[in-house]
């Protein structure tokens, strides 16, 4: 009886989409997966109270679904600036990014190229793993739908449907 009265007296925690988004950012920054359960535990609210907020954040493009029930924030970057690189006759390289212009020696150019090669490889791995995660999530969803559809068909077509057993049609 005490537990019921405590539940009645405890005020219902108010959450907003901004709070849910911030929580997903915090969980993600610690290297943990932001699952519905983890978000609910951090916010101390029932999982069901998160669904509308998560749906709106997803539709707004602020989070992405890694797999069913697991989310990560979408990184919002500033607008890209114009970039150009010109190899000069004397071996120097002119690198321009927006309004910034650098005159690079061959050694500096090679050093930057080496660093950019590593960043390009990291980007390739990251996009490949995200694409793979998206494909896995799509396949799981399709598998689940097909499985449900087959169960429905088996139940509808079963002569023993009334006693709960599944059987072949006919």
């Amino acid at each position: 009886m005490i537990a019921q009265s405590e539940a009645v007296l405890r005020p219902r925690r108010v959450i907003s989409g901004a709070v849910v988004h911030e929580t997903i950012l915090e969980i993600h920054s610690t290297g943990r997966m932001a699952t519905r359960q983890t978000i609910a535990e951090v916010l101390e609210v029932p999982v069901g109270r998160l669904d509308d907020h998560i749906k709106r954040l997803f539709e707004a493009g602020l989070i992405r679904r890694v797999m069913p029930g697991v989310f990560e924030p979408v990184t919002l970057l500033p607008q890209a600036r114009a970039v150009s690189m010109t190899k000069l006759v004397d071996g120097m390289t002119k690198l321009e990014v927006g309004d910034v212009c650098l005159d690079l020696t061959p050694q500096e150019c090679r050093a930057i190229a080496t660093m950019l090669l590593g960043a390009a490889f990291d980007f390739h791995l990251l996009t490949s793993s995200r694409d793979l995660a998206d494909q896995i999530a799509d396949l799981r969803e399709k598998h689940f739908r097909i499985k449900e559809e087959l169960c429905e068909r088996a139940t509808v077509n079963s002569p023993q449907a009334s006693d709960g057993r599944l059987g072949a049609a006919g």
Side-chain angles (χ1 to χ4, degrees):
M1 191 67 159
I2 294 173
Q4 287 178 347
S5 62
E6 286 177 5
V8 171
L9 296 175
R10 191 171 2 140
R12 184 175 176 182
R13 181 152 187 196
V14 177
I15 60 170
S16 66
V19 170
V20 173
H21 186 244
E22 186 176 311
T23 304
I24 292 171
L25 286 168
E26 288 176 18
I27 293 169
H28 185 71
S29 72
T30 62
R32 297 181 7 216
M33 291 195 328
T35 64
R36 291 172 67 235
Q37 185 64 39
T38 306
I39 300 164
E41 287 172 7
V42 169
L43 292 175
E44 299 176 347
V45 297
V47 175
R49 291 204 28 226
L50 298 173
D51 293 336
D52 286 339
H53 298 293
I54 289 173
K55 181 181 176 184
R56 279 189 238 113
L57 290 169
F58 180 77
E59 289 171 352
L62 296 173
I63 60 172
R64 66 184 295 277
R65 187 174 287 118
V66 179
M67 61 180 68
V70 181
F71 305 93
E72 70 180 13
V74 172
T75 305
L76 302 174
L77 300 173
Q79 186 174 359
R81 300 172 286 174
V83 177
S84 75
M85 188 165 98
T86 306
K87 193 75 165 170
L88 302 175
V89 179
D90 62 358
M92 296 285 287
T93 302
K94 189 173 286 288
L95 178 63
E96 298 176 73
V97 179
D99 294 335
V100 177
C101 183
L102 296 173
D103 292 321
L104 305 171
T105 65
Q107 185 180 1
E108 293 168 335
C109 190
R110 282 191 300 275
I112 290 172
T114 302
M115 291 178 224
L116 290 176
L117 182 61
F121 186 70
D122 287 345
F123 177 75
H124 171 72
L125 289 177
L126 181 64
T127 55
S128 296
S129 63
R130 283 188 175 170
D131 290 345
L132 185 58
D134 289 343
Q135 290 173 1
I136 290 170
D138 289 344
L139 288 173
R140 283 183 177 163
E141 189 175 323
K142 286 177 186 175
H143 178 261
F144 180 74
R145 275 194 248 125
I146 290 170
K147 192 174 176 181
E148 280 186 331
E149 187 177 316
L150 287 173
C151 285
E152 279 183 26
R153 285 183 185 177
T155 302
V156 168
N157 295 331
S158 173
Q160 295 90 11
S162 61
D163 67 2
R165 289 184 285 162
L166 297 178

